[in-house]
Amino acid sequence: MKLREIILDFTSLLDVIMIILFFFVLYSTIDTKNVLNNAKEAEQTYNNLIVEQQELNEEAENELERLKSADKNAATNQKALNAFEKGDYFDFRLDVADKSDNWSLTISFGKEKLGMINSREDEDIKGSIKDILMKSGFAADDTYLCILSYDGEQFGTAKAFREIDEAIDGIQREYPNLYFSNLNK
């Protein structure tokens, strides 16, 4: 028997393998891009959740501090309420002269008159009120309830009230435990 030479031609098979390999590489890079995009989206979502959680933690800490502060001030506030019930509070009485822009503000504590501010004499209402409070022994960290009473039907009361209310707002910024209520008699 004679051996024949056998020639095998793998060219077409090689072409098919190359085409399959090309598509495999092409689709694997597309999948890699999708996975990379999904990973970036997941990382962004995670970072957003971390920021939201930090904000929630800060809010919770602030609320806890506010509650602790409220507990600390509860006894002081209760003492101020008890004193108010007994008549120990600052009474600011606004009286307006008939048909004029002149007014007077009488400041009392309980039944004791502490001082008077007159619109014709005092330009610095806030400073005058602070002086009267200081002379009465009021300290910045004391808690007191105060009533600003006036007769809203008197001529000129609205203008005088605005001036006095503005001065009181300034005092309350410096003395946060001084609480005012308005009473229109």
Side-chain angles (χ1 to χ4, degrees):
M1 216 177 190
K2 228 177 170 194
L3 274 181
R4 291 189 183 175
E5 278 186 39
I6 300 176
I7 299 176
L8 295 172
D9 187 15
F10 289 111
T11 306
S12 60
L13 183 61
L14 192 58
D15 287 344
V16 169
I17 290 173
M18 290 302 285
I19 290 171
I20 291 172
L21 185 62
F22 173 75
F23 281 111
F24 174 75
V25 170
L26 178 69
Y27 284 114
S28 68
T29 58
I30 290 173
D31 287 342
T32 305
K33 288 180 183 175
N34 288 340
V35 168
L36 185 62
N37 288 338
N38 289 343
K40 285 182 181 178
E41 289 175 11
E43 181 183 16
Q44 185 64 34
T45 303
Y46 176 74
N47 289 337
N48 290 341
L49 289 173
I50 288 174
V51 169
E52 289 177 18
Q53 187 61 43
Q54 288 173 341
E55 290 173 356
L56 288 173
N57 288 346
E58 288 176 11
E59 288 177 18
E61 287 176 11
N62 290 342
E63 184 66 17
L64 183 61
E65 288 300 318
R66 187 188 69 76
L67 290 173
K68 285 180 182 177
S69 175
D71 283 345
K72 288 180 193 174
N73 294 333
T76 306
N77 292 342
Q78 188 60 48
K79 286 169 84 175
L81 287 170
N82 292 342
F84 183 80
E85 187 178 323
K86 293 177 189 171
D88 292 336
Y89 59 90
F90 286 104
D91 184 24
F92 291 69
R93 175 69 187 151
L94 172 63
D95 292 308
V96 179
D98 287 335
K99 297 185 181 182
S100 73
D101 289 335
N102 297 326
W103 52 265
S104 64
L105 181 67
T106 306
I107 301 174
S108 305
F109 185 79
K111 296 183 181 188
E112 179 184 351
K113 180 179 173 182
L114 302 175
M116 179 180 275
I117 300 170
N118 195 319
S119 64
R120 287 172 273 165
E121 299 168 5
D122 291 315
E123 293 290 321
D124 182 20
I125 301 168
K126 177 183 168 188
S128 299
I129 293 173
K130 279 175 57 176
D131 289 342
I132 292 171
L133 291 175
M134 296 272 190
K135 288 177 186 172
S136 72
F138 175 76
D141 58 344
D142 289 343
T143 301
Y144 285 106
L145 302 176
C146 308
I147 294 179
L148 172 59
S149 58
Y150 57 93
D151 183 0
E153 294 181 6
Q154 283 183 312
F155 176 82
T157 300
K159 180 181 176 189
F161 178 81
R162 280 191 304 271
E163 292 174 13
I164 293 168
D165 194 46
E166 184 178 308
I168 287 173
D169 283 343
I171 289 172
Q172 284 182 298
R173 283 188 210 103
E174 293 178 37
Y175 303 108
N177 297 329
L178 196 62
Y179 299 101
F180 277 85
S181 179
N182 300 329
L183 179 63
N184 185 358
K185 291 185 178 182

